[in-house]
Amino acid sequence: MTLDVLLFGPLASRAGTGQITLPVEGFPVSCAALRASLARAHPELAESLPLHRFAVNAQFVGDEDVVREGDEVALIGMVSGG
Amino acid sequence: MTEEALPRSRSEPGTPGSESDRGPVHVAIVDGPISLPGPGFAAGDPGPEGAGGILTFHGVVRGLEGGREIAGLTYETYDPMAKRMLEKLAAEAVTRFGLLGFRVTHSRGFVPVGEASLLVEAAGAHRAETLEAMAWYILRMKEDVPIWKKAVSAEDASGDATGGGGET
């Protein structure tokens, strides 16, 4: 099974893509597990990953929260609106 | 620009799904620069009943970023989360500071130097709460609303966006 994670702004530039597809063992999967999986799959993001937040279905969540099949997941780096 | 206009009243037309109308809170994301003075309180609208202070903030794109001349900024938004977060923070500002009205418009896409990319208006019974709310809202927006800007160099203004982010 896989899960797509959306990226934006400088994070997307660093990863070279606006969407990363991660392998997952099943659902639900914790955001902490996703963070670890991202670090393994994309070492270029690993160093800054602790600074970023996950959003699930357009809401910020914590590492203790889980992602279910069909959820929209985004990794939100430092924002710069205004 | 294609503007998802802030409503002056509920009867005025708007782009479906583009504007919010949660009581005293109005939020919109528009394509391109924001026309000033804008569609809000400053455009001759006396504001909500009982308002004694109406504060307007324009965020305007500067011509220099890191000492380098730019043509403008391109704003990327994560939709619909960006608008939801603008709304959530606006509603919190109204509650926290006891405001009578709060309107926010933010740009997406390219905004040339000298044009506005952010318009925030706060209406309150007195000036103090509008000043506090404005400072609070803009700080929170810059922390929590998923919008990213990228400088577009003068050389590349007619082509693809390049360069790093910057502050307005």
Side-chain angles (χ1 to χ4, degrees):
Chain A
M1 304 180 89
T2 61
L3 174 71
D4 293 332
V5 178
L6 304 176
L7 306 176
F8 302 90
L11 267 183
S13 298
R14 201 178 314 155
T17 178
Q19 182 171 310
I20 288 174
T21 300
L22 290 175
V24 294
E25 293 184 2
F27 292 99
V29 58
S30 73
C31 289
L34 282 184
R35 196 180 293 274
S37 180
L38 264 173
R40 286 192 298 272
H42 289 268
E44 74 277 13
L45 301 178
E47 187 177 349
S48 64
L49 266 179
L51 304 174
H52 307 324
R53 292 174 283 183
F54 281 107
V56 175
N57 298 326
Q59 291 194 329
F60 285 120
V61 296
D63 272 12
E64 69 281 8
D65 291 308
V66 297
V67 174
R68 293 179 169 78
E69 191 166 15
D71 285 346
E72 180 175 286
V73 179
L75 184 66
I76 308 292
M78 185 175 290
V79 300
S80 54
Chain B
M1 74 181 183
T2 302
E3 183 164 345
E4 300 167 355
L6 289 171
R8 298 294 289 276
S9 72
R10 291 178 188 228
S11 61
E12 288 187 356
T15 305
S18 66
E19 65 189 37
S20 65
D21 190 352
R22 295 184 178 177
V25 172
H26 299 262
V27 171
I29 295 179
V30 301
D31 292 324
I34 299 165
S35 298
L36 296 178
F41 305 136
D45 187 334
E49 187 176 347
I54 298 176
L55 181 64
T56 300
F57 174 84
H58 302 154
V60 177
V61 176
R62 291 192 303 255
L64 289 176
E65 286 293 332
R68 188 168 59 97
E69 188 175 345
I70 65 168
L73 295 171
T74 295
Y75 289 88
E76 178 184 12
T77 62
Y78 174 28
D79 300 318
M81 185 177 177
K83 186 161 168 288
R84 286 185 195 169
M85 288 302 297
L86 289 171
E87 290 169 352
K88 179 182 176 186
L89 294 176
E92 189 175 343
V94 167
T95 301
R96 177 181 287 253
F97 298 98
L99 299 179
L100 299 171
F102 203 80
R103 296 171 181 256
V104 182
T105 306
H106 199 297
S107 293
R108 79 159 72 83
F110 181 68
V111 180
V113 167
E115 300 273 2
S117 58
L118 174 65
L119 169 63
V120 185
E121 296 175 293
H126 307 284
R127 69 182 183 279
E129 57 260 40
T130 64
L131 290 164
E132 287 184 54
M134 185 68 73
W136 178 89
Y137 185 85
I138 292 173
L139 280 176
R140 290 296 310 274
M141 183 204 73
K142 285 177 170 288
E143 293 173 349
D144 286 341
V145 178
I147 298 176
W148 297 267
K149 59 190 164 198
K150 187 174 184 181
V152 178
S153 70
E155 295 77 20
D156 294 333
S158 59
D160 292 335
T162 61
E167 293 288 326
T168 56

